[in-house]
Coordinates of all heavy atoms in Angstrom, one line a residue:
M31 N -6.5 11.3 -6.7 CA -6.3 10.5 -5.5 C -5.3 11.2 -4.6 O -4.3 11.7 -5.1 CB -5.9 9.1 -5.9 CG -5.8 8.1 -4.7 SD -5.3 6.5 -5.2 CE -6.8 5.9 -6.0
N32 N -5.6 11.2 -3.3 CA -4.6 11.7 -2.3 C -3.9 10.6 -1.6 O -4.1 9.4 -1.9 CB -5.3 12.7 -1.3 CG -6.4 12.0 -0.6 OD1 -6.5 10.7 -0.5 ND2 -7.3 12.8 0.0
C33 N -3.0 10.9 -0.6 CA -2.2 9.9 0.1 C -3.1 8.9 0.8 O -2.8 7.7 0.8 CB -1.3 10.6 1.1 SG 0.0 11.6 0.3
K34 N -4.2 9.4 1.4 CA -5.1 8.5 2.2 C -5.7 7.5 1.2 O -5.9 6.3 1.5 CB -6.1 9.3 2.9 CG -5.6 10.0 4.1 CD -6.6 10.1 5.2 CE -6.0 10.4 6.6 NZ -6.1 11.8 6.9
G35 N -6.1 7.9 0.0 CA -6.6 7.1 -1.0 C -5.6 6.0 -1.4 O -6.0 4.8 -1.6
V36 N -4.4 6.3 -1.5 CA -3.4 5.4 -1.9 C -3.3 4.3 -0.8 O -3.3 3.1 -1.1 CB -2.0 6.0 -2.1 CG1 -0.9 5.0 -2.3 CG2 -2.0 7.0 -3.3
I37 N -3.2 4.7 0.5 CA -3.1 3.8 1.6 C -4.3 2.9 1.6 O -4.2 1.7 1.8 CB -3.0 4.6 2.9 CG1 -1.8 5.5 3.0 CG2 -3.0 3.6 4.1 CD1 -0.5 4.8 2.8
R38 N -5.5 3.5 1.3 CA -6.7 2.7 1.4 C -6.7 1.6 0.3 O -7.2 0.5 0.5 CB -7.9 3.6 1.2 CG -9.3 3.0 1.6 CD -10.4 4.0 1.6 NE -10.4 4.7 0.3 CZ -10.5 6.0 0.1 NH1 -10.4 6.8 1.2 NH2 -10.5 6.5 -1.1
E39 N -6.2 1.9 -0.9 CA -6.2 0.9 -2.0 C -4.9 0.1 -2.1 O -4.8 -0.7 -3.0 CB -6.4 1.7 -3.3 CG -7.6 2.6 -3.3 CD -8.9 1.8 -3.1 OE1 -8.9 0.6 -3.4 OE2 -9.9 2.5 -2.7
L40 N -4.0 0.3 -1.1 CA -2.7 -0.3 -1.3 C -2.7 -1.8 -1.4 O -2.1 -2.4 -2.3 CB -1.8 0.1 -0.1 CG -0.4 -0.2 -0.1 CD1 0.3 0.3 -1.3 CD2 0.3 0.3 1.2
S41 N -3.5 -2.5 -0.5 CA -3.5 -4.0 -0.6 C -4.0 -4.4 -1.9 O -3.4 -5.4 -2.5 CB -4.4 -4.5 0.5 OG -4.0 -4.1 1.7
S42 N -5.1 -3.8 -2.4 CA -5.6 -4.2 -3.7 C -4.6 -4.0 -4.8 O -4.5 -4.8 -5.7 CB -6.9 -3.5 -4.0 OG -7.8 -3.6 -2.9
Y43 N -4.0 -2.8 -4.7 CA -3.0 -2.5 -5.8 C -1.9 -3.5 -5.8 O -1.5 -4.0 -6.9 CB -2.4 -1.1 -5.4 CG -1.3 -0.7 -6.4 CD1 -1.6 -0.5 -7.7 CD2 0.0 -0.5 -5.9 CE1 -0.6 -0.1 -8.6 CE2 1.0 -0.1 -6.8 CZ 0.7 0.1 -8.1 OH 1.7 0.4 -9.0
I44 N -1.4 -3.9 -4.7 CA -0.2 -4.8 -4.6 C -0.7 -6.2 -5.0 O 0.0 -7.0 -5.7 CB 0.4 -4.8 -3.3 CG1 1.3 -3.5 -3.2 CG2 1.3 -6.0 -3.0 CD1 1.8 -3.2 -1.9
D45 N -1.9 -6.6 -4.7 CA -2.5 -7.9 -5.1 C -2.9 -7.9 -6.6 O -3.2 -8.9 -7.2 CB -3.8 -8.2 -4.3 CG -3.5 -8.5 -2.9 OD1 -2.3 -8.8 -2.6 OD2 -4.4 -8.6 -2.1
G46 N -2.9 -6.7 -7.2 CA -3.3 -6.6 -8.6 C -4.8 -6.7 -8.8 O -5.3 -7.0 -9.9
D47 N -5.5 -6.4 -7.7 CA -7.0 -6.5 -7.7 C -7.7 -5.1 -8.1 O -8.9 -5.1 -8.1 CB -7.5 -6.9 -6.4 CG -7.2 -8.3 -6.1 OD1 -7.0 -9.1 -7.0 OD2 -7.3 -8.7 -4.9
L48 N -6.9 -4.1 -8.3 CA -7.5 -2.8 -8.5 C -8.0 -2.6 -10.0 O -7.4 -3.1 -10.9 CB -6.4 -1.8 -8.3 CG -6.8 -0.5 -7.5 CD1 -7.5 -0.8 -6.2 CD2 -5.5 0.3 -7.2
D49 N -9.1 -1.9 -10.1 CA -9.6 -1.6 -11.4 C -8.6 -0.7 -12.2 O -7.9 0.1 -11.5 CB -10.9 -0.8 -11.4 CG -12.1 -1.6 -10.8 OD1 -11.9 -2.9 -10.8 OD2 -13.0 -1.0 -10.3
L50 N -8.6 -0.9 -13.5 CA -7.6 -0.1 -14.3 C -7.6 1.4 -14.0 O -6.6 2.0 -13.8 CB -7.7 -0.5 -15.7 CG -6.6 0.1 -16.6 CD1 -5.2 -0.5 -16.2 CD2 -6.8 -0.2 -18.1
P51 N -8.8 2.0 -14.1 CA -8.8 3.5 -13.8 C -8.3 3.9 -12.5 O -7.5 4.9 -12.3 CB -10.3 3.9 -13.9 CG -11.0 2.7 -14.6 CD -10.1 1.5 -14.3
M52 N -8.6 3.1 -11.5 CA -8.1 3.3 -10.1 C -6.6 3.1 -10.0 O -5.9 3.9 -9.4 CB -8.8 2.2 -9.2 CG -8.9 2.6 -7.8 SD -10.0 3.9 -7.5 CE -10.6 3.4 -5.9
K53 N -6.1 2.1 -10.7 CA -4.7 1.8 -10.7 C -3.9 3.0 -11.4 O -2.9 3.4 -10.9 CB -4.5 0.5 -11.5 CG -3.1 0.0 -11.6 CD -3.1 -1.4 -12.2 CE -1.7 -2.0 -12.4 NZ -1.0 -1.5 -13.6
Q54 N -4.5 3.5 -12.5 CA -3.9 4.6 -13.2 C -3.8 5.8 -12.3 O -2.8 6.6 -12.3 CB -4.6 4.9 -14.5 CG -4.3 3.8 -15.5 CD -5.1 3.9 -16.8 OE1 -6.2 4.5 -16.7 NE2 -4.7 3.4 -17.9
E55 N -4.9 6.1 -11.6 CA -5.0 7.2 -10.7 C -3.9 7.1 -9.6 O -3.2 8.1 -9.2 CB -6.4 7.3 -10.0 CG -7.1 8.5 -10.5 CD -8.2 8.9 -9.5 OE1 -7.9 9.6 -8.5 OE2 -9.4 8.4 -9.7
L56 N -3.8 5.9 -9.0 CA -2.9 5.6 -7.9 C -1.4 5.8 -8.5 O -0.6 6.5 -7.8 CB -3.1 4.2 -7.4 CG -2.4 3.8 -6.1 CD1 -3.3 2.8 -5.4 CD2 -1.0 3.3 -6.3
E57 N -1.2 5.3 -9.7 CA 0.2 5.4 -10.2 C 0.5 6.9 -10.6 O 1.7 7.3 -10.5 CB 0.3 4.5 -11.4 CG 0.5 3.1 -10.9 CD 0.5 2.0 -12.0 OE1 0.2 2.4 -13.2 OE2 0.9 0.9 -11.7
R58 N -0.5 7.6 -10.9 CA -0.3 9.1 -11.2 C 0.1 9.8 -9.9 O 1.0 10.6 -9.9 CB -1.6 9.7 -11.8 CG -1.3 10.9 -12.6 CD -2.6 11.5 -13.2 NE -3.4 10.5 -13.8 CZ -4.7 10.4 -13.7 NH1 -5.4 11.3 -13.0 NH2 -5.4 9.5 -14.4
H59 N -0.5 9.4 -8.8 CA -0.2 10.0 -7.5 C 1.3 9.6 -7.2 O 2.0 10.4 -6.7 CB -1.1 9.5 -6.5 CG -0.8 10.1 -5.1 ND1 -1.3 11.2 -4.6 CD2 0.0 9.6 -4.1 CE1 -0.8 11.5 -3.4 NE2 0.0 10.5 -3.1
L60 N 1.6 8.3 -7.4 CA 3.0 7.9 -7.1 C 4.0 8.7 -7.8 O 5.1 8.9 -7.3 CB 3.1 6.4 -7.4 CG 2.3 5.4 -6.5 CD1 2.6 4.0 -6.9 CD2 2.6 5.6 -5.0
G61 N 3.6 9.1 -9.0 CA 4.6 9.9 -9.9 C 5.0 11.2 -9.3 O 6.1 11.7 -9.6
H62 N 4.2 11.7 -8.3 CA 4.6 13.0 -7.8 C 4.7 13.0 -6.2 O 4.8 14.0 -5.6 CB 3.7 14.1 -8.3 CG 2.3 14.0 -7.9 ND1 1.9 14.3 -6.6 CD2 1.2 13.6 -8.5 CE1 0.6 14.1 -6.5 NE2 0.2 13.6 -7.7
C63 N 4.5 11.8 -5.6 CA 4.5 11.7 -4.2 C 5.6 10.7 -3.7 O 5.4 9.5 -3.8 CB 3.2 11.4 -3.6 SG 3.1 11.3 -1.8
E64 N 6.7 11.2 -3.2 CA 7.8 10.3 -2.7 C 7.4 9.5 -1.6 O 7.8 8.3 -1.4 CB 9.0 11.2 -2.4 CG 9.8 11.6 -3.6 CD 11.0 12.4 -3.1 OE1 11.5 12.2 -2.0 OE2 11.4 13.3 -3.9
D65 N 6.5 10.0 -0.7 CA 6.1 9.3 0.5 C 5.4 8.0 0.1 O 5.7 6.9 0.6 CB 5.2 10.2 1.4 CG 6.0 11.2 2.2 OD1 7.3 11.0 2.3 OD2 5.4 12.1 2.8
C66 N 4.4 8.2 -0.8 CA 3.6 7.0 -1.2 C 4.5 6.0 -2.0 O 4.3 4.8 -1.8 CB 2.4 7.5 -1.9 SG 1.2 8.3 -0.9
T67 N 5.3 6.5 -2.8 CA 6.2 5.6 -3.6 C 7.0 4.8 -2.6 O 7.1 3.6 -2.8 CB 7.2 6.5 -4.4 OG1 6.4 7.3 -5.3 CG2 8.0 5.6 -5.3
M68 N 7.5 5.4 -1.5 CA 8.3 4.7 -0.5 C 7.4 3.6 0.2 O 7.9 2.5 0.4 CB 8.9 5.7 0.5 CG 10.0 5.1 1.3 SD 10.4 6.3 2.6 CE 9.0 6.3 3.6
I69 N 6.2 4.0 0.5 CA 5.3 3.1 1.2 C 5.0 1.9 0.3 O 5.0 0.8 0.8 CB 4.1 3.8 1.7 CG1 4.4 4.8 2.9 CG2 3.0 2.8 2.1 CD1 3.3 5.7 3.3
V70 N 4.7 2.2 -0.9 CA 4.4 1.1 -1.9 C 5.6 0.2 -2.0 O 5.5 -1.1 -1.9 CB 3.9 1.7 -3.2 CG1 3.9 0.5 -4.3 CG2 2.6 2.3 -3.1
D71 N 6.8 0.7 -2.2 CA 8.0 -0.1 -2.3 C 8.2 -1.0 -1.1 O 8.5 -2.2 -1.2 CB 9.2 0.8 -2.4 CG 9.5 1.3 -3.9 OD1 8.7 0.8 -4.7 OD2 10.4 2.0 -4.1
Q72 N 8.1 -0.3 0.1 CA 8.3 -1.1 1.3 C 7.3 -2.2 1.5 O 7.6 -3.3 1.9 CB 8.2 -0.1 2.5 CG 9.2 1.0 2.5 CD 10.3 0.8 3.5 OE1 10.0 0.5 4.7 NE2 11.5 0.9 3.1
T73 N 6.1 -1.9 1.2 CA 5.0 -2.9 1.3 C 5.2 -4.0 0.4 O 5.1 -5.2 0.7 CB 3.6 -2.2 1.1 OG1 3.5 -1.1 1.9 CG2 2.5 -3.2 1.4
K74 N 5.6 -3.7 -0.9 CA 5.9 -4.8 -1.9 C 7.0 -5.7 -1.3 O 6.9 -6.9 -1.4 CB 6.3 -4.1 -3.2 CG 5.2 -3.8 -4.1 CD 5.7 -3.3 -5.4 CE 4.6 -2.9 -6.3 NZ 5.0 -2.1 -7.5
K75 N 8.1 -5.1 -0.8 CA 9.2 -5.8 -0.2 C 8.7 -6.7 0.9 O 9.1 -7.9 1.0 CB 10.3 -4.9 0.2 CG 11.2 -4.4 -0.9 CD 12.4 -3.7 -0.3 CE 13.1 -2.9 -1.5 NZ 13.0 -1.5 -1.2
T76 N 7.9 -6.1 1.8 CA 7.4 -6.9 2.9 C 6.6 -8.1 2.4 O 6.7 -9.2 2.9 CB 6.4 -6.0 3.8 OG1 7.2 -4.8 4.1 CG2 6.0 -6.7 5.0
V77 N 5.7 -7.9 1.4 CA 4.9 -8.9 0.9 C 5.8 -10.0 0.2 O 5.5 -11.2 0.4 CB 3.9 -8.3 -0.2 CG1 3.1 -9.5 -0.9 CG2 2.8 -7.5 0.6
E78 N 6.8 -9.6 -0.5 CA 7.7 -10.5 -1.1 C 8.4 -11.4 -0.1 O 8.6 -12.6 -0.3 CB 8.8 -9.8 -2.0 CG 8.2 -9.4 -3.3 CD 9.0 -8.4 -4.0 OE1 10.2 -8.1 -3.6 OE2 8.5 -7.7 -4.9
I79 N 8.8 -10.8 1.0 CA 9.4 -11.5 2.1 C 8.5 -12.6 2.6 O 8.8 -13.8 2.8 CB 9.9 -10.6 3.2 CG1 11.1 -9.8 2.7 CG2 10.3 -11.4 4.5 CD1 11.4 -8.5 3.6
F80 N 7.2 -12.2 2.9 CA 6.2 -13.1 3.3 C 6.0 -14.2 2.3 O 5.9 -15.4 2.7 CB 4.8 -12.4 3.5 CG 4.6 -11.8 4.8 CD1 4.5 -10.4 5.0 CD2 4.5 -12.6 5.9 CE1 4.3 -9.8 6.2 CE2 4.3 -12.0 7.2 CZ 4.2 -10.6 7.3
C81 N 6.0 -13.9 1.1 CA 5.8 -14.9 0.0 C 6.9 -15.9 -0.1 O 6.7 -17.1 -0.3 CB 5.5 -14.3 -1.3 SG 3.9 -13.4 -1.4
D82 N 8.2 -15.4 0.2 CA 9.3 -16.3 0.1 C 9.2 -17.3 1.2 O 9.6 -18.5 1.0 CB 10.6 -15.5 0.4 CG 11.1 -14.8 -0.9 OD1 10.5 -15.2 -2.0 OD2 12.0 -14.0 -0.9
S83 N 8.8 -16.9 2.4 CA 8.8 -17.8 3.5 C 7.5 -18.6 3.6 O 7.5 -19.6 4.3 CB 9.1 -17.1 4.8 OG 8.1 -16.1 5.0
E84 N 6.5 -18.2 2.9 CA 5.2 -18.8 3.0 C 4.6 -18.9 1.6 O 4.2 -17.9 1.1 CB 4.4 -17.9 4.0 CG 3.0 -18.4 4.3 CD 3.0 -19.8 5.0 OE1 3.2 -19.8 6.2 OE2 2.8 -20.8 4.3
P85 N 4.5 -20.1 1.1 CA 4.0 -20.3 -0.2 C 2.5 -20.0 -0.5 O 2.1 -19.7 -1.6 CB 4.3 -21.8 -0.6 CG 4.4 -22.4 0.8 CD 4.9 -21.4 1.7
V86 N 1.7 -20.0 0.6 CA 0.3 -19.7 0.4 C 0.1 -18.2 0.4 O 1.0 -17.4 0.7 CB -0.6 -20.3 1.5 CG1 -0.5 -21.9 1.4 CG2 -0.1 -19.9 2.9
A87 N -1.1 -17.8 0.0 CA -1.4 -16.4 -0.1 C -1.4 -15.7 1.3 O -1.5 -16.4 2.3 CB -2.9 -16.2 -0.6
L88 N -1.1 -14.4 1.3 CA -1.0 -13.7 2.5 C -2.4 -13.8 3.3 O -3.4 -13.6 2.7 CB -0.9 -12.2 2.2 CG 0.5 -11.6 2.2 CD1 0.4 -10.1 2.0 CD2 1.2 -11.8 3.5
P89 N -2.3 -14.2 4.5 CA -3.5 -14.2 5.3 C -4.1 -12.8 5.4 O -3.4 -11.8 5.5 CB -3.0 -14.7 6.7 CG -1.6 -15.0 6.6 CD -1.1 -14.5 5.3
S90 N -5.4 -12.8 5.5 CA -6.1 -11.4 5.4 C -5.7 -10.6 6.7 O -5.7 -9.4 6.6 CB -7.6 -11.6 5.3 OG -8.1 -12.3 6.4
D91 N -5.4 -11.2 7.8 CA -5.1 -10.4 9.0 C -3.8 -9.7 8.8 O -3.5 -8.7 9.4 CB -5.1 -11.3 10.3 CG -4.0 -12.3 10.3 OD1 -3.9 -13.1 9.4 OD2 -3.3 -12.3 11.3
V92 N -2.9 -10.3 8.0 CA -1.6 -9.6 7.7 C -1.9 -8.3 6.9 O -1.4 -7.2 7.2 CB -0.7 -10.5 6.9 CG1 0.6 -9.7 6.4 CG2 -0.2 -11.6 7.7
H93 N -2.8 -8.4 6.0 CA -3.2 -7.2 5.2 C -3.8 -6.1 6.2 O -3.5 -5.0 6.1 CB -4.3 -7.6 4.2 CG -3.8 -8.0 2.9 ND1 -3.3 -7.1 2.0 CD2 -3.6 -9.2 2.4 CE1 -2.9 -7.8 0.9 NE2 -3.0 -9.1 1.2
V94 N -4.7 -6.6 7.1 CA -5.3 -5.6 8.0 C -4.2 -5.0 8.9 O -4.3 -3.8 9.1 CB -6.3 -6.4 8.9 CG1 -6.9 -5.5 10.0 CG2 -7.5 -6.9 8.0
R95 N -3.3 -5.8 9.4 CA -2.3 -5.2 10.3 C -1.4 -4.2 9.5 O -1.0 -3.2 10.0 CB -1.4 -6.3 10.9 CG -1.9 -6.7 12.3 CD -1.1 -7.8 12.9 NE -1.2 -9.0 12.1 CZ -0.4 -10.0 12.1 NH1 0.7 -10.0 12.9 NH2 -0.6 -11.1 11.5
L96 N -1.1 -4.6 8.3 CA -0.2 -3.7 7.4 C -1.0 -2.4 7.2 O -0.4 -1.3 7.3 CB 0.0 -4.4 6.1 CG 1.1 -4.0 5.2 CD1 2.4 -4.1 5.9 CD2 1.2 -4.8 3.9
H97 N -2.2 -2.5 6.9 CA -3.1 -1.3 6.7 C -3.0 -0.4 7.9 O -2.9 0.8 7.8 CB -4.5 -1.8 6.4 CG -5.0 -1.5 5.1 ND1 -6.3 -1.4 4.7 CD2 -4.3 -1.2 3.9 CE1 -6.4 -1.1 3.4 NE2 -5.2 -1.0 2.9
E98 N -3.2 -1.0 9.1 CA -3.3 -0.3 10.3 C -1.9 0.5 10.5 O -1.9 1.6 10.9 CB -3.6 -1.2 11.5 CG -5.0 -1.6 11.6 CD -6.0 -0.4 11.6 OE1 -5.7 0.5 12.4 OE2 -7.0 -0.5 10.9
A99 N -0.9 -0.3 10.3 CA 0.5 0.3 10.5 C 0.7 1.5 9.6 O 1.2 2.5 10.0 CB 1.5 -0.7 10.3
L100 N 0.3 1.3 8.4 CA 0.4 2.4 7.4 C -0.4 3.6 7.7 O 0.0 4.8 7.6 CB 0.1 1.9 6.0 CG 1.1 0.9 5.4 CD1 0.6 0.2 4.2 CD2 2.4 1.6 5.1
R101 N -1.7 3.3 8.2 CA -2.6 4.4 8.5 C -2.0 5.2 9.7 O -2.0 6.4 9.6 CB -3.9 3.9 8.8 CG -5.0 5.0 8.9 CD -6.4 4.4 9.2 NE -6.7 3.4 8.1 CZ -7.4 2.3 8.4 NH1 -7.8 2.0 9.6 NH2 -7.6 1.4 7.4
R102 N -1.5 4.5 10.7 CA -0.9 5.2 11.8 C 0.3 6.1 11.4 O 0.4 7.2 11.8 CB -0.4 4.2 12.8 CG -1.4 3.8 13.9 CD -0.8 3.2 15.1 NE 0.0 2.0 14.8 CZ -0.5 0.8 14.6 NH1 -1.7 0.6 14.9 NH2 0.3 -0.2 14.3
R103 N 1.1 5.5 10.4 CA 2.2 6.3 9.9 C 1.8 7.5 9.2 O 2.4 8.6 9.4 CB 3.0 5.3 9.0 CG 4.3 5.9 8.6 CD 5.1 4.7 8.2 NE 6.1 5.1 7.2 CZ 6.9 4.3 6.5 NH1 6.8 3.0 6.8 NH2 7.8 4.7 5.7
M104 N 0.7 7.4 8.4 CA 0.2 8.6 7.7 C -0.3 9.7 8.7 O -0.1 10.8 8.5 CB -0.9 8.2 6.8 CG -0.5 7.3 5.6 SD 0.8 8.0 4.6 CE 0.0 9.4 3.8
E105 N -1.0 9.2 9.8 CA -1.6 10.1 10.7 C -0.5 10.8 11.5 O -0.7 11.9 12.0 CB -2.5 9.4 11.6 CG -3.9 9.2 10.9 CD -4.8 8.2 11.6 OE1 -4.4 7.7 12.7 OE2 -5.8 7.9 11.1
E106 N 0.7 10.2 11.7 CA 1.8 10.8 12.4 C 2.4 11.9 11.7 O 3.1 12.8 12.2 CB 2.8 9.8 12.8 CG 2.4 8.9 14.0 CD 3.3 7.6 14.0 OE1 4.3 7.6 13.3 OE2 2.9 6.7 14.8
K107 N 2.2 11.9 10.4 CA 2.8 13.0 9.5 C 2.3 14.4 10.0 O 1.1 14.5 10.2 CB 2.5 12.8 8.1 CG 3.4 11.7 7.5 CD 3.1 11.5 6.0 CE 3.4 12.7 5.2 NZ 3.4 12.5 3.8
P108 N 3.2 15.3 10.1 CA 2.8 16.7 10.5 C 1.8 17.4 9.6 O 1.0 18.2 10.0 CB 4.1 17.5 10.6 CG 5.1 16.7 9.9 CD 4.6 15.3 9.8
N109 N 1.9 17.1 8.3 CA 0.9 17.8 7.4 C -0.3 17.0 7.2 O -0.6 16.4 6.2 CB 1.6 18.1 6.0 CG 2.3 16.9 5.4 OD1 2.4 15.8 6.0 ND2 2.8 17.1 4.2
Ligands
ZN233 ZN1 1.0 10.4 -1.4

């Protein structure tokens, strides 16, 4: 799995919806990619903040917006 794959599966990963093989692949990538580790950490924190202030599940549009923001961030990377 590459960085784009991680971004694509990020919401499912954080929700715990990812299949085990996929989850393992993603975590293997996180083991050697600091950028993705940081993005996952930040996203988890963001989700936790949302959950603190809002007891119901994250609205799907928040997921979409988060995804878009992360994708833009990945595309801005020079490599
Ligand atoms: Zn990566």
Side-chain angles (χ1 to χ4, degrees):
M31 187 181 286
N32 57 21
C33 294
K34 285 211 163 101
V36 172
I37 301 299
R38 198 173 51 231
E39 306 300 338
L40 188 57
S41 303
S42 309
Y43 176 64
I44 286 172
D45 287 346
D47 287 342
L48 220 52
D49 294 341
L50 189 62
M52 204 69 148
K53 182 171 180 275
Q54 285 170 337
E55 248 200 84
L56 194 148
E57 285 174 346
R58 204 179 311 138
H59 179 91
L60 293 182
H62 64 79
C63 182
E64 281 182 28
D65 282 347
C66 288
T67 304
M68 195 186 70
I69 288 171
V70 169
D71 275 358
Q72 298 253 314
T73 307
K74 275 186 180 164
K75 279 192 195 113
T76 308
V77 170
E78 279 162 18
I79 291 163
F80 270 117
C81 290
D82 277 351
S83 58
E84 182 62 81
V86 293
L88 263 185
S90 58
D91 68 307
V92 172
H93 273 280
V94 172
R95 265 181 291 162
L96 198 58
H97 247 198
E98 286 304 313
L100 290 166
R101 191 175 307 144
R102 269 199 304 275
R103 189 155 152 187
M104 294 305 290
E105 281 167 3
E106 280 165 13
K107 282 181 62 166
N109 51 352

